[in-house]
Protein backbone atom coordinates (compact mmCIF):
# COMPACT_ATOMS: atom_id res chain seq x y z
CA UNK A 1 0.00 0.00 0.00
CA UNK A 2 1.14 3.56 -0.47
CA UNK A 3 1.96 5.10 2.84
CA UNK A 4 2.60 8.33 4.64
CA UNK A 5 6.16 7.71 3.43
CA UNK A 6 4.99 8.39 -0.14
CA UNK A 7 5.91 4.95 -1.42
CA UNK A 8 4.89 1.33 -0.99
CA UNK A 9 4.83 0.08 2.60
CA UNK A 10 3.99 -3.22 4.26
CA UNK A 11 3.11 -2.99 7.95
CA UNK A 12 2.96 -6.19 9.99
CA UNK A 13 2.11 -5.99 13.66
CA UNK A 14 0.23 -3.66 15.92
CA UNK A 15 0.69 -0.11 17.16
CA UNK A 16 3.38 -0.94 19.69
CA UNK A 17 5.24 -3.82 18.07
CA UNK A 18 5.70 -4.00 14.34
CA UNK A 19 7.80 -4.51 11.27
CA UNK A 20 7.55 -2.02 8.41
CA UNK A 21 9.02 -2.75 4.99
CA UNK A 22 8.96 0.54 3.10
CA UNK A 23 10.33 2.31 0.05
CA UNK A 24 10.02 5.94 1.16
CA UNK A 25 9.69 8.70 -1.38
CA UNK A 26 10.24 12.21 -0.11
CA UNK A 27 8.52 15.14 -1.80
CA UNK A 28 10.98 17.97 -2.52
CA UNK A 29 8.06 20.44 -2.24
CA UNK A 30 7.33 19.38 1.35
CA UNK A 31 8.35 22.20 3.73
CA UNK A 32 9.92 19.73 6.17
CA UNK A 33 12.03 18.23 3.37
CA UNK A 34 13.07 21.71 2.24
CA UNK A 35 14.05 22.67 5.79
CA UNK A 36 16.04 19.46 6.30
CA UNK A 37 17.75 19.96 2.93
CA UNK A 38 18.68 23.50 3.85
CA UNK A 39 20.15 22.30 7.14
CA UNK A 40 22.09 19.64 5.24
CA UNK A 41 23.32 22.20 2.72
CA UNK A 42 21.85 20.50 -0.34
CA UNK A 43 18.91 21.09 -2.67
CA UNK A 44 15.53 19.64 -1.72
CA UNK A 45 15.64 17.44 -4.84
CA UNK A 46 19.04 16.05 -3.89
CA UNK A 47 17.93 15.51 -0.29
CA UNK A 48 14.75 13.70 -1.39
CA UNK A 49 16.71 11.40 -3.66
CA UNK A 50 15.18 8.96 -6.12
CA UNK A 51 12.93 7.16 -3.62
CA UNK A 52 14.13 3.78 -4.76
CA UNK A 53 15.82 2.39 -1.65
CA UNK A 54 13.95 -0.05 0.56
CA UNK A 55 14.18 0.12 4.34
CA UNK A 56 13.13 -2.14 7.18
CA UNK A 57 11.88 -0.53 10.40
CA UNK A 58 11.36 -2.46 13.63
CA UNK A 59 9.64 -1.14 16.72
CA UNK A 60 8.89 -2.85 20.00
CA UNK A 61 6.78 -0.95 22.56
CA UNK A 62 7.60 2.38 20.93
CA UNK A 63 11.24 1.79 21.73
CA UNK A 64 12.24 2.18 18.05
CA UNK A 65 14.53 -0.83 18.14
CA UNK A 66 15.85 0.34 14.84
CA UNK A 67 15.77 0.10 11.20
CA UNK A 68 18.13 -0.03 8.32
CA UNK A 69 18.31 0.49 4.59
CA UNK A 70 18.33 -2.44 2.23
CA UNK A 71 20.68 -1.31 -0.54
CA UNK A 72 20.29 -3.09 -3.85
CA UNK A 73 16.91 -4.65 -3.03
CA UNK A 74 14.61 -4.52 -6.04
CA UNK A 75 10.82 -4.28 -6.17
CA UNK A 76 10.67 -7.75 -7.74
CA UNK A 77 12.41 -9.26 -4.69
CA UNK A 78 10.04 -7.49 -2.31
CA UNK A 79 7.06 -8.66 -4.38
CA UNK A 80 8.36 -12.24 -4.25
CA UNK A 81 8.62 -12.00 -0.45
CA UNK A 82 5.05 -10.63 -0.23
CA UNK A 83 3.76 -13.34 -2.57
CA UNK A 84 5.32 -16.11 -0.45
CA UNK A 85 3.88 -14.47 2.68
CA UNK A 86 0.41 -14.48 1.08
CA UNK A 87 0.77 -18.13 0.12
CA UNK A 88 1.81 -19.09 3.66
CA UNK A 89 -1.14 -17.23 5.17
CA UNK A 90 -3.45 -19.19 2.92
CA UNK A 91 -2.44 -22.50 4.51
CA UNK A 92 -3.71 -21.83 8.03
CA UNK A 93 -0.53 -23.53 9.29
CA UNK A 94 2.71 -22.26 10.83
CA UNK A 95 5.27 -21.24 8.20
CA UNK A 96 8.49 -19.32 7.65
CA UNK A 97 9.26 -16.88 4.86
CA UNK A 98 12.61 -15.19 4.43
CA UNK A 99 14.25 -12.48 2.40
CA UNK A 100 17.80 -13.76 2.27
CA UNK A 101 20.03 -13.27 5.28
CA UNK A 102 18.40 -9.97 6.22
CA UNK A 103 14.83 -10.91 7.15
CA UNK A 104 12.95 -13.99 8.32
CA UNK A 105 9.34 -14.14 9.49
CA UNK A 106 8.14 -17.11 11.52
CA UNK A 107 4.35 -17.13 11.47
CA UNK A 108 1.94 -19.19 13.51
CA UNK A 109 -1.84 -19.14 13.76
CA UNK A 110 -3.06 -17.28 16.81
CA UNK A 111 -4.95 -18.92 19.58
CA UNK A 112 -6.27 -15.53 20.70
CA UNK A 113 -9.98 -15.45 21.45
CA UNK A 114 -10.18 -11.75 20.59
CA UNK A 115 -9.31 -12.31 16.91
CA UNK A 116 -11.25 -14.92 14.95
CA UNK A 117 -8.45 -15.70 12.54
CA UNK A 118 -5.01 -14.25 12.88
CA UNK A 119 -1.31 -14.85 12.99
CA UNK A 120 1.48 -14.00 15.38
CA UNK A 121 4.83 -13.20 13.75
CA UNK A 122 8.33 -13.51 15.10
CA UNK A 123 10.53 -11.18 13.07
CA UNK A 124 14.26 -11.87 12.81
CA UNK A 125 16.15 -9.00 11.13
CA UNK A 126 19.89 -8.78 10.57
CA UNK A 127 21.25 -5.49 9.27
CA UNK A 128 23.39 -5.92 6.14
CA UNK A 129 25.96 -3.49 7.58
CA UNK A 130 28.07 -3.39 9.58
CA UNK A 131 29.10 -6.95 8.98
CA UNK A 132 28.45 -9.07 12.05
CA UNK A 133 25.67 -6.83 13.36
CA UNK A 134 23.43 -8.74 15.75
CA UNK A 135 20.04 -10.04 14.70
CA UNK A 136 17.08 -8.17 16.19
CA UNK A 137 14.10 -10.34 17.11
CA UNK A 138 10.63 -9.19 18.02
CA UNK A 139 7.23 -10.83 18.31
CA UNK A 140 4.03 -9.16 17.21
CA UNK A 141 0.68 -9.52 18.82
CA UNK A 142 -2.08 -11.18 16.87
CA UNK A 143 -2.50 -9.73 13.38
CA UNK A 144 -5.97 -10.21 11.87
CA UNK A 145 -5.71 -12.48 8.85
CA UNK A 146 -8.32 -10.78 6.66
CA UNK A 147 -6.82 -7.33 7.18
CA UNK A 148 -3.28 -8.55 6.51
CA UNK A 149 -4.33 -10.34 3.32
CA UNK A 150 -6.05 -7.15 2.12
CA UNK A 151 -2.95 -5.09 2.98
CA UNK A 152 -0.72 -7.56 1.15
CA UNK A 153 -2.88 -7.42 -1.97
CA UNK A 154 -2.82 -3.61 -1.93
CA UNK A 155 0.94 -3.58 -1.25
CA UNK A 156 1.60 -5.88 -4.22
CA UNK A 157 -0.59 -3.70 -6.47
CA UNK A 158 1.44 -0.66 -5.43
CA UNK A 159 4.59 -2.43 -6.64
CA UNK A 160 3.18 -3.16 -10.09
Amino acid sequence: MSSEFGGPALFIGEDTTFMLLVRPKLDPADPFVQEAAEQAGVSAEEFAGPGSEWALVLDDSYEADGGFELPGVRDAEVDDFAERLQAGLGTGEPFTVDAGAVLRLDARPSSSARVDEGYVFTVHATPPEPEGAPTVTLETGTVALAALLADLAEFRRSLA
Side-chain angles (χ1 to χ4, degrees):
M1 78 177 81
S2 185
S3 70
E4 63 189 56
F5 298 99
L10 177 60
F11 180 90
I12 297 176
E14 52 195 359
D15 291 344
T16 59
T17 304
F18 63 84
M19 176 202 92
L20 174 67
L21 183 60
V22 62
R23 188 184 69 207
K25 183 168 178 74
L26 301 176
D27 180 1
D30 183 306
F32 294 111
V33 172
Q34 292 174 348
E35 181 180 332
E38 185 178 316
Q39 290 176 0
V42 298
S43 72
E45 290 76 15
E46 185 180 355
F47 186 83
S52 61
E53 186 134 323
W54 285 93
L56 182 65
V57 179
L58 304 170
D59 197 344
D60 187 7
S61 301
Y62 296 109
E63 300 278 329
D65 288 334
F68 49 87
E69 293 181 343
L70 301 168
V73 171
R74 300 181 331 253
D75 287 2
E77 294 166 315
V78 172
D79 185 48
D80 177 64
F81 174 79
E83 181 179 32
R84 289 182 290 123
L85 179 56
Q86 273 181 315
L89 291 169
T91 68
E93 299 292 327
F95 67 94
T96 297
V97 62
D98 64 49
V102 174
L103 175 63
R104 185 179 87 231
L105 289 180
D106 295 326
R108 66 183 187 282
S110 169
S111 59
S112 172
R114 70 174 229 268
V115 177
D116 290 336
E117 284 190 70
Y119 271 83
V120 173
F121 294 91
T122 303
V123 180
H124 307 273
T126 306
E129 294 181 7
E131 191 170 319
T135 297
V136 176
T137 302
L138 65 85
E139 185 169 300
T140 70
T142 300
V143 178
L145 179 59
L148 182 54
L149 287 171
D151 288 349
L152 275 163
E154 186 178 334
F155 175 71
R156 293 190 65 213
R157 279 192 298 275
S158 75
L159 294 173

